[in-house]
Amino acid sequence: MGDYFKHLRLMHGLSRTELASRIDMSEKTLQRIELGQVDAKVSQLMTFMNYFAVSPAEVQARTNTVLPNPAAVAKEMAAATDLPQIVQLADELTRLTRKYRTEWLKTSQIACEILRLALVGDEEAAQRLANRMVNGFMLRDFITAYDFQLLTLVAGCVSFDRLKLLLISGQLHRHLGNAAESTVVSRLYRQLLDSAFAEQDPAAVRYVCDVIQSNITQADCVSLQAYRHFAGVLGLALDGHETAAQHDFEALKSGLMVLGAETELAEMAPLFQGWLVAASRLASIAGCTKTLTHQTNIAVNLKAATRVANEQ
């Protein structure tokens, strides 16, 4: 009940002091009700209902605590695209955690807070909390399917080096090629590639490509097979074989359009195209760096040879 009162107050943009003054209640009493330290009296409940114009049915629906299914929570979190939705979900998870104190609810709270921090633009705080979440995963004997779902939601906030450590630990192995979790796995591969390209390091991208190709073996999952084939295309681009990479990509793109017109498969093509362009750019930069290094070495050697000749 206290959480519901707090939720109503915040949704209307009121401070505790303002609301207490408007409903003729002491701020301390309101605070104790919101924190769950005391139960609201019937008269106080009626005051809240009248002030916020909510019905008894709505109050009952919002305050009857029923433990939800983890899959439903993950789905709701994935669908939350703006701050009000995330805040509302966070409030609900806080209420549930106080009552049930289960591990999956606590982890859900953390994931929700990471998403909130990312939405408000506090990237450093989001990454710190996401890295701590991953540290906790690495200490476990195994990562559950639900933990894996939460990881894919916040992986974009995790530093690449921490994601790489988690992959090396083997904790994700049984999930990465699972056709039954193809949507979730695809989401993680997308986050991994985004993080790798953000490093601006061909070795990071190549590592993710190796992970994708070594973990995807099921031939009956089209979306995962698309990632597997595209990892090969990226490998060609990173090696400087741009023509071959483009040829293979066009074949893959045609297949995606035929197999998945107006589905998520069709949406993969522009996503893959962006990564392919980025890979070609990385290969070009790496090639320029090698050329400059070679030219520098030649210049140094020539200068040394000239100095020796002059001395002689």
Side-chain angles (χ1 to χ4, degrees):
M1 185 69 72
D3 282 335
Y4 181 54
F5 283 2
K6 180 180 178 181
H7 172 74
L8 287 173
R9 175 172 62 78
L10 293 177
M11 288 296 290
H12 286 78
L14 297 172
S15 69
R16 194 177 286 134
T17 303
E18 290 173 329
L19 179 58
S21 175
R22 294 185 186 188
I23 61 175
D24 195 24
M25 180 186 294
S26 74
E27 184 178 350
K28 185 175 181 179
T29 298
L30 178 57
Q31 180 183 32
R32 295 183 69 192
I33 291 173
E34 288 188 355
L35 294 176
Q37 296 174 348
V38 296
D39 292 328
K41 298 177 181 178
V42 174
S43 59
Q44 293 168 332
L45 174 59
M46 295 302 296
T47 299
F48 270 90
M49 290 170 59
N50 291 333
Y51 183 81
F52 292 114
V54 294
S55 66
E58 182 180 346
V59 174
Q60 186 175 21
R62 288 298 305 269
T63 56
N64 281 344
T65 303
V66 178
L67 188 63
N69 183 285
V73 174
K75 185 176 181 180
E76 189 174 353
M77 204 177 297
T81 56
D82 56 35
L83 191 57
Q85 289 176 311
I86 288 293
V87 170
Q88 183 174 351
L89 182 57
D91 287 344
E92 180 71 9
L93 288 171
T94 298
R95 182 170 64 87
L96 291 170
T97 303
R98 286 176 181 170
K99 182 175 180 66
Y100 293 102
R101 302 185 184 279
T102 59
E103 191 63 34
W104 75 266
L105 280 172
K106 293 177 184 177
T107 309
S108 302
Q109 269 190 297
I110 295 171
C112 208
E113 177 61 11
I114 293 168
L115 294 177
R116 187 192 70 78
L117 289 169
L119 282 172
V120 298
D122 196 343
E123 296 180 2
E124 289 186 8
Q127 186 175 95
R128 284 196 300 270
L129 188 55
N131 284 346
R132 285 204 297 271
M133 180 177 170
V134 169
N135 289 343
F137 285 161
M138 285 192 286
L139 294 175
R140 299 183 185 181
D141 293 331
F142 65 92
I143 292 178
T144 67
Y146 181 69
D147 291 334
F148 181 67
Q149 282 186 293
L150 292 184
L151 174 65
T152 65
L153 293 175
V154 304
C157 299
V158 183
S159 61
F160 180 76
D161 62 327
R162 204 61 54 90
L163 284 173
K164 187 174 180 180
L165 284 175
L166 185 58
L167 289 166
I168 292 171
S169 72
Q171 294 281 57
L172 304 181
H173 182 72
R174 71 191 186 96
H175 299 288
L176 291 177
N178 189 349
E181 299 180 82
S182 59
T183 302
V184 181
V185 176
S186 295
R187 189 163 61 213
L188 180 63
Y189 285 146
R190 177 174 180 169
Q191 300 276 28
L192 284 172
L193 284 170
D194 280 341
S195 295
F197 277 111
E199 292 290 300
Q200 291 292 300
D201 181 5
V205 179
R206 198 179 298 277
Y207 175 78
V208 175
C209 289
D210 290 343
V211 168
I212 293 172
Q213 290 185 306
S214 62
N215 281 283
I216 298 176
T217 57
Q218 288 89 343
D220 59 341
C221 182
V222 179
S223 61
L224 292 185
Q225 283 300 322
Y227 269 94
R228 183 173 183 274
H229 288 301
F230 182 67
V233 172
L234 284 180
L236 288 172
L238 291 171
D239 288 334
H241 305 306
E242 190 169 343
T243 301
Q246 192 62 44
H247 177 272
D248 287 1
F249 174 68
E250 290 300 327
L252 174 59
K253 184 165 67 172
S254 297
L256 289 173
M257 295 304 292
V258 170
L259 293 171
E262 299 182 4
T263 70
E264 62 174 341
L265 292 178
E267 296 173 1
M268 286 184 174
L271 182 65
F272 287 174
Q273 179 72 64
W275 283 328
L276 181 56
V277 171
S280 299
R281 190 180 299 118
L282 278 181
S284 175
I285 293 172
C288 291
T289 302
K290 289 178 181 178
T291 302
L292 288 172
T293 302
H294 181 62
Q295 291 174 342
T296 301
N297 289 338
I298 292 174
V300 169
N301 291 336
L302 286 174
K303 187 174 181 180
T306 302
R307 188 181 67 251
V308 171
N310 289 335
E311 289 174 354
Q312 292 176 344

